[in-house]
Amino acid sequence: MDIWLDTTNVKTIQKAVRVGILSGVTTNPSLLAHNKKDVEKTLEDLLHHQEGPVTVQVVADDTHEMLQQGQMLYSFSNRIIVKVPITKNGLEAIHLLVRQGIPTMATVVFHPRQALMAALAGANYVAPYISRIEKMGKDPWEMLNSMTTIFQHYRLQTKILGASLSSIEQVVKCAEIGIYGVTLKDEIFEKMIEDNPATLEGVHQFSEDWKKASSSLFSS
Ligand code: G3P
């Protein structure tokens, strides 16, 4: 499973790089706006502090404007993946961008039919919004299983990146289903790497026992 971070926080990105698990960074207009720093500077930082792609969302409603914004983003860096909301116009924009060799991620995905259309239009990634699907009273796992089955049936190469995740249980569930990856907010990433009390207790016991061992193995 690939792990991306859904953040503009460089410290979290650096931590994930140190652990060696980071595949890329996703952003959205809200994250970039809340960051308060200049957007261009933020994007430079996100590209500088890790080697993977960075997704940046277009903010137009019109297909032609989405295309133009996508082209601008890709000219800013060819490591930018253009995030396009899966509207009717967005679908068309995805197809136009893909035909120009610009990578895309269909976002704000709530249903397998949207994932299917995005994949057929040529999107490289689709980002289903797990928690938001759940909040609507729908079953996100049924949706993910359906997307996975459909993509397998037709050998579609589009990758499913689970987004809008709010617990480690949801991340584990995504891994069980076998989707390509997940993008995690800072707090969920921190929970994924946090110490389990049982592990700490086990390690403490080993330390106590080691004190009784007769060894110069670790002495310098
Ligand atoms: O990047 C999109 C995703 O982070 C949305 O998450 O928590 O606003 O549903 P959320």
Side-chain angles (χ1 to χ4, degrees):
M1 172 184 254
D2 278 40
I3 299 210
W4 295 46
L5 285 175
D6 196 28
T7 191
T8 55
N9 186 333
V10 166
K11 285 208 167 77
T12 312
I13 290 169
Q14 287 170 325
K15 197 182 290 183
V17 168
R18 285 201 300 276
V19 181
I21 55 91
L22 190 65
S23 291
V25 173
T26 56
T27 69
N28 61 43
S30 312
L31 279 174
L32 289 171
H34 291 151
N35 185 248
K36 296 206 169 72
K37 260 197 285 178
D38 175 70
V39 171
E40 284 83 340
K41 174 76 180 84
T42 303
L43 295 181
E44 276 164 13
D45 284 348
L46 300 180
L47 289 161
H48 175 74
H49 288 283
Q50 54 88 43
E51 292 176 355
V54 173
T55 72
V56 188
Q57 193 164 322
V58 295
V59 289
D61 298 324
D62 170 77
T63 302
H64 185 66
E65 282 177 50
M66 283 188 196
L67 175 64
Q68 280 183 334
Q69 291 183 359
Q71 288 166 332
M72 282 176 204
L73 289 170
Y74 195 62
S75 69
F76 186 84
S77 165
N78 63 7
R79 279 169 54 214
I80 286 185
I81 293 176
V82 181
K83 237 176 162 188
V84 183
I86 190 68
T87 57
K88 263 187 228 171
N89 288 346
L91 202 53
E92 212 175 316
I94 285 171
H95 189 55
L96 291 168
L97 287 162
V98 167
R99 277 172 53 182
Q100 295 184 8
I102 300 177
T104 59
M105 178 179 290
T107 191
V108 208
V109 172
F110 280 84
H111 196 277
R113 60 121 181 142
Q114 294 176 305
L116 173 61
M117 298 317 283
L120 292 175
N124 304 75
Y125 300 85
V126 291
Y129 274 23
I130 315 284
S131 290
R132 293 201 203 181
I133 292 173
E134 210 163 58
K135 277 184 200 142
M136 287 167 68
K138 303 269 167 59
D139 183 349
W141 317 118
E142 203 180 296
M143 303 256 187
L144 284 189
N145 274 315
S146 165
M147 287 177 204
T148 306
T149 306
I150 292 168
F151 285 11
Q152 280 169 358
H153 275 332
Y154 301 105
R155 295 190 174 84
L156 296 168
Q157 298 306 305
T158 306
K159 293 172 171 168
I160 302 172
L161 183 73
S164 178
L165 292 152
S166 49
S167 71
I168 50 174
E169 288 73 19
Q170 289 180 334
V171 178
V172 171
K173 192 88 186 155
C174 286
E176 282 172 5
I177 291 173
I179 60 171
Y180 154 78
V182 286
T183 185
L184 306 179
K185 295 190 175 61
D186 302 61
E187 57 275 21
I188 305 299
F189 169 70
E190 295 292 348
K191 282 186 186 163
M192 288 296 285
I193 60 170
E194 95 186 348
D195 290 327
N196 183 313
T199 304
L200 294 179
E201 173 55 31
V203 170
H204 175 72
Q205 190 59 55
F206 286 137
S207 295
E208 290 303 303
D209 287 347
W210 182 250
K211 285 177 193 162
K212 297 168 207 151
S214 165
S215 172
S216 57
L217 196 59
F218 300 133
S219 316
S220 47

